[in-house]
Amino acid sequence: MIEAADELGLLTELAREPLTPTEIADRAKIDRTMAYNFLTVLVWNGILTRNGDHFALDEALQAEVTSGALPLLRIEGWATRDHLNGTGIVAALRGRRRPPEIDDRYVGALAEAMLRGARASAPHLARLPLWRDRAHLADLAGGSGGYAILLCRMYPRLRATVYDRREMLEHTARAVADAGLDDRIALESWELRGDPVPAGHDCALLSHVLHLLDASARAELLGRVRAALAEGDPVVVHDFLPGTAAGAPSPEEAASAIDWLANGSGFLPGPDEFGAEMATAGISVRSVTPIAATRTAVVSAACTPGLPGRHSRPSGSAERKARR
């Protein structure tokens, strides 16, 4: 019912002001009798309230619509039609692999949802002391730029480049401009599958990226990250990591696990298995910190010596000689 009301534009209209059934029918271009019946059922389901001849959004849903939770509903609605269903799970179990990129029609909704999500999670990442001496962050598949924005606000010496596909960066540009950080956050078009990670960075962030990929694709991406960084450079991963939170998996984690099955990633590594994946790529896990509020984890890691990647940066006289 919520999806139908959103598709008709009613949630946005009713978030602005109460309306009569006739006004709603005319704006949504639906039959007036059916509009009244539809509104009645929405009231029965607690989505709308009625005051005389006018219908309004329930206060609880009003907060969700205006706070940015509605984009999550739109994304979930698309996923349910596309792959997050019984047919999709069966297809994935038989080898179908859905591309990790969201449908172009919902990139704007994803950007809005990511900005909202970053407000809850980014402060936990920003507490890591490793950012204090970093100069240039690679925010890979950084989406809306919410993490790069907060990190640059908290660490004045830090610059960042957000890498993502062009369709997403149109939305990222607005968020960065609104934050007044155009001079410190650059945007680069980048494809998650295959594009190298450009050199010139001394730290990297992968937030909500790895769960989109199966094990072989994760290994390949981590290898590209390692190849772009020097020995000792930090890599921070923020993602779901089953087994890091106390107690049984939450309903949210269980729902996410169904999504991973449906898209074919099958992302269920525990902390030890994930650490082994990182180590194989030449990245050593230093700490794993659960975020109880979001049921995710922050993995702090560093590039190890002797494995594929750039050589360690020269220091002192050796660096001056190299520059000459």
Side-chain angles (χ1 to χ4, degrees):
M1 293 296 288
I2 294 175
E3 286 183 39
D6 181 44
E7 186 172 331
L8 291 168
L10 297 184
L11 297 185
T12 303
E13 292 284 349
L14 291 168
R16 296 192 185 103
E17 59 179 339
L19 297 170
T20 66
T22 300
E23 291 171 329
I24 290 171
D26 292 346
R27 295 187 190 190
K29 297 180 174 59
I30 56 179
D31 179 87
R32 290 185 177 182
T33 300
M34 287 298 292
Y36 180 82
N37 294 339
F38 181 53
L39 295 171
T40 300
V41 176
L42 288 171
V43 171
W44 290 352
N45 282 274
I47 297 166
L48 302 184
T49 59
R50 182 176 181 178
N51 184 8
D53 293 334
H54 286 72
F55 290 80
L57 214 54
D58 181 82
E59 287 187 9
L61 192 60
Q62 175 89 24
E64 293 299 297
V65 169
T66 56
S67 69
L70 190 58
L72 291 173
L73 175 69
R74 293 168 180 161
I75 294 167
E76 288 299 320
W78 158 76
T80 300
R81 293 187 294 273
D82 181 79
H83 63 279
L84 189 52
N85 50 49
T87 301
I89 293 171
V90 170
L93 293 173
R94 289 176 172 165
R96 176 181 183 263
R97 183 71 183 90
R98 201 202 171 280
E101 296 84 6
I102 198 168
D103 189 286
D104 286 351
R105 292 171 294 169
Y106 299 96
V107 169
L110 178 61
E112 188 176 341
M114 291 177 75
L115 272 178
R116 183 176 186 268
R119 290 197 291 270
S121 300
H124 296 274
L125 276 68
R127 293 191 185 108
L128 296 172
L130 60 87
W131 305 114
R132 293 172 186 165
D133 63 350
R134 296 296 105 185
H136 194 181
L137 167 69
D139 188 359
L140 301 169
S144 62
Y147 294 92
I149 288 169
L150 182 65
L151 288 170
C152 285
R153 279 175 170 165
M154 291 191 65
Y155 298 94
R157 292 182 60 248
L158 184 66
R159 293 182 298 115
T161 300
V162 177
Y163 294 95
D164 214 311
R165 54 179 171 148
R166 186 172 292 104
E167 295 84 355
M168 174 62 76
L169 293 181
E170 295 175 7
H171 302 277
T172 317
R174 287 194 288 272
V176 170
D178 289 344
L181 288 167
D182 306 73
D183 57 333
R184 291 174 54 205
I185 299 179
L187 310 179
E188 291 289 340
S189 179
W190 184 78
E191 293 296 329
L192 177 63
R193 295 170 294 170
D195 277 0
V197 178
H201 298 281
D202 61 358
C203 53
L205 170 62
L206 293 161
S207 179
H208 286 311
V209 176
L210 294 180
H211 72 259
L212 301 172
L213 308 172
D214 59 27
S216 61
R218 290 197 300 271
E220 194 274 334
L221 174 58
L222 290 170
R224 283 185 276 144
V225 173
R226 176 63 185 92
L229 299 175
E231 176 186 334
D233 282 346
V235 177
V236 175
V237 174
H238 170 233
D239 219 315
F240 303 99
L241 203 57
T244 56
S250 68
E252 293 80 10
E253 288 174 307
S256 295
I258 295 170
D259 203 351
W260 305 330
L261 285 175
N263 69 21
S265 71
F267 183 78
L268 286 174
D272 293 341
E273 184 182 352
F274 184 71
E277 288 185 7
M278 298 277 279
T280 300
I283 304 170
S284 176
V285 172
R286 302 292 175 83
S287 66
V288 179
T289 306
I291 305 177
T294 59
R295 306 294 290 192
T296 57
V298 177
V299 179
S300 177
C303 295
T304 55
L307 287 168
R310 294 191 290 115
H311 296 295
S312 299
R313 294 188 185 86
S315 59
S317 60
E319 182 178 9
R320 288 190 292 272
K321 183 178 180 181
R323 287 175 177 169
R324 290 197 295 270

